[in-house]
Amino acid sequence: MSNPAQLVDFPLRRPGQPYPPKQYADFRSREGLVWSHMPTGAKVWLVTKYDDVRAVLTDPRISSSPRHEGFPSVGRTGGVPNPDQVPGWFVALDPPDHDRFRKALIPEFTVRRIREMRPSIQEVVDHRIDGLLAAGSEADLVHDFTSAVPSLVISALLGVPHVDRDFFEARIRLLVTMSSTHDQRDQATREILRYLSRLILVKQKRPGDDLISVMLASGTMSLQEISGAAMLLLIAGQETTANNMALGMVTLLLNPQWIGDERAVEELLRYYSVADMVALRVAVEDVEIGGQLIKAGEGIVPLVAAANHDSGVFERAGDFDPSRSARHHVAFGYGVHQCLGQHLVRAELDIAYRTLFERIPKLELAVPVEELAFKYDGVVFGLDSLPVRW
Ligand code: HEM
């Protein structure tokens, strides 16, 4: 059993060390769970073993709702919007409330639907690469490509005009940065919701073939809920994908033998597990996980990167090896909240990597890896910039 006296500070400080944090191996080797201390002063259970993470994510006595006392927050001032503040923020709703949103949206994210979207994703990627090539022989791949592609794709899917990319990106950045203040988060949330509410009124009059129109047509959500769900999709679809794409570019540049191998995508999702601290939970009844009693009202952080590096499940888990079968990773979570956009992500990463390396075969890093600017302050891990040349 973990000794509550061995309280660790969480999130871990990780500047200068490879990702995921090395301490995860130590945490996994301990019996039970790890009792930790968050920047808000709250104490939470960290879950690092693969089986325990899956158990947390499927136990009905464990809730995703910040409405419950004891719900954790990884930021200094509270990360996740409360569904009372943002109705329709369904990742923070438990069944049965959660089911209504999932049911309306899931037909839009099936493997088949995403396959149909591939030509439009390809077009976005090609257009960005045309821009890179026209601008010269060097670029910041984060700004010019890896942030832009998911942002263009999710905006088109939702029917949000892409000219407003900067408006959204600036506000999303505040929401996914751990050190943002409460006021900054609050204002960013209000501004995004105000924008989306206006857009929804336009779509009500002139429906399109976008997700906002699909939600309106479902007749199962209020206008406020549609704004909240659209905000969730914008944020979830942008930050995670952009960061995984950028980190994956670095790994492929360092391991060029895997460029063009489609198995690299799944392994990069496992290897980086950028949404490590995204799934937050609280126990609503006493529950035992991995031999540890969690009392009702105690917060839980199932760390998906730690689970995906559990060597009992993934041999030589610290190696990047696309030849392994990584499909059972939990980078997209597990259970009822498992990532709605996972097939979309796979398509975006596959098309982006294949096309970029095909069209710019001389692509290389413009700075040594040690000098890359990693996002240590991000709720989602990634890169702030990625200087390349060709
Ligand atoms: C949920 C990871 C991309 C939409 C989740 C969860 C994880 C995750 C771990 C579970 C959260 C929880 O259990 O509390 C990722 C990763 C991505 C990615 C690693 C990219 C590399 C996307 C994209 C979309 C998206 C592109 C966009 C459309 C969502 C939504 C949920 C979700 C809507 C909530 C689902 C629910 O509550 O039913 N994602 N995600 N994600 N993701 Fe993703």
Side-chain angles (χ1 to χ4, degrees):
M1 186 105 21
S2 195
N3 177 0
Q6 292 180 323
L7 202 62
V8 302
D9 281 336
F10 194 84
L12 300 169
R13 278 181 225 289
R14 41 186 193 191
Q17 68 166 336
Y19 190 75
K22 278 191 175 140
Q23 293 96 314
Y24 284 179
D26 166 43
F27 293 173
R28 274 190 309 268
S29 73
R30 299 187 192 181
E31 254 183 74
L33 310 178
V34 177
W35 193 225
S36 85
H37 195 263
M38 307 292 265
T40 50
K43 299 194 179 63
V44 294
W45 292 107
L46 300 181
V47 186
T48 54
K49 299 183 191 95
Y50 180 85
D51 290 341
D52 294 347
V53 164
R54 296 223 301 190
V56 166
L57 293 176
T58 46
D59 196 307
R61 295 164 297 177
I62 295 177
S63 167
S64 291
S65 173
R67 286 173 179 156
H68 294 292
E69 193 72 33
F71 190 85
S73 134
V74 291
R76 193 155 54 86
T77 52
V80 193
N82 191 312
D84 296 327
Q85 184 194 7
V86 184
W89 189 264
F90 59 92
V91 70
L93 291 174
D94 294 320
D97 296 348
H98 167 258
D99 306 348
R100 184 161 48 95
F101 295 91
R102 193 85 189 186
K103 208 168 143 203
L105 286 166
I106 207 126
E108 304 305 314
F109 288 93
T110 58
V111 174
R112 200 171 127 220
R113 279 291 286 127
I114 302 303
R115 202 180 304 128
E116 288 164 4
M117 279 176 58
R118 285 185 73 105
S120 59
I121 301 173
Q122 183 72 56
E123 212 175 292
V124 166
V125 167
D126 276 327
H127 187 67
R128 294 312 298 189
I129 298 175
D130 292 344
L132 287 176
L133 291 171
S137 58
E138 55 181 28
D140 169 10
L141 223 45
V142 165
H143 184 266
D144 299 334
F145 189 79
T146 60
S147 277
V149 169
S151 160
L152 284 156
V153 169
I154 193 70
S155 308
L157 196 58
L158 275 164
V160 171
H162 202 261
V163 284
D164 296 322
R165 175 184 166 196
D166 290 345
F167 169 87
F168 280 110
E169 280 195 5
R171 283 152 188 83
I172 291 175
R173 200 167 316 119
L174 287 171
L175 291 171
V176 297
T177 298
M178 286 196 265
S179 57
S180 302
T181 65
H182 186 273
D183 287 350
Q184 283 173 318
R185 282 176 199 285
D186 215 43
Q187 191 179 346
T189 303
R190 273 188 281 109
E191 287 171 356
I192 293 177
L193 288 176
R194 198 179 315 131
Y195 177 105
L196 289 170
S197 321
R198 276 198 228 115
L199 182 65
I200 289 167
L201 294 181
V202 175
K203 302 270 174 206
Q204 250 185 331
K205 289 198 194 106
R206 283 192 302 279
D209 57 358
D210 52 78
L211 285 184
I212 289 182
S213 302
V214 167
M215 290 194 271
L216 279 166
S218 79
T220 58
M221 302 178 204
S222 69
L223 295 187
Q224 264 191 327
E225 286 175 338
I226 296 174
S227 307
M231 175 173 157
L232 170 63
L233 287 163
L234 267 176
I235 298 178
Q238 164 66 31
E239 192 63 15
T240 44
T241 315
N243 284 317
N244 220 122
M245 198 180 280
L247 291 165
M249 294 286 178
V250 177
T251 303
L252 290 172
L253 286 168
L254 297 175
N255 298 271
Q257 71 276 24
W258 295 111
I259 290 176
D261 190 318
E262 62 184 22
R263 293 172 300 176
V265 167
E266 211 59 47
E267 175 67 346
L268 285 169
L269 288 163
R270 178 199 73 87
Y271 188 76
Y272 283 112
S273 303
V274 293
D276 190 26
M277 298 183 281
V278 163
L280 304 173
R281 298 291 189 268
V282 61
V284 287
E285 289 175 37
D286 288 0
V287 48
E288 197 179 299
I289 298 285
Q292 178 81 56
L293 173 68
I294 302 177
K295 296 209 191 99
E298 287 179 344
I300 312 169
V301 185
L303 295 164
V304 297
N308 283 337
H309 284 253
D310 187 332
S311 55
V313 180
F314 300 97
E315 245 180 73
R316 293 171 292 95
D319 294 353
F320 168 69
D321 178 9
S323 74
R324 78 168 82 240
S325 167
R327 191 79 184 192
H328 53 303
H329 66 69
V330 286
F332 291 125
Y334 194 64
V336 292
H337 291 283
Q338 196 182 45
C339 182
L340 185 68
Q342 59 180 289
H343 304 307
L344 175 61
V345 177
R346 290 189 176 104
E348 286 186 64
L349 294 183
D350 177 49
I351 293 171
Y353 293 141
R354 225 166 2 84
T355 314
L356 190 74
F357 290 115
E358 240 167 54
R359 291 194 56 194
I360 317 185
K362 292 211 169 78
L363 194 74
E364 61 178 23
L365 291 176
V367 297
V369 181
E370 307 77 57
E371 287 175 26
L372 290 174
F374 290 101
K375 272 190 185 157
Y376 296 114
D377 195 22
V379 175
V380 175
F381 188 65
L383 280 162
D384 276 327
S385 63
L386 178 52
V388 291
R389 60 181 172 229
W390 56 89

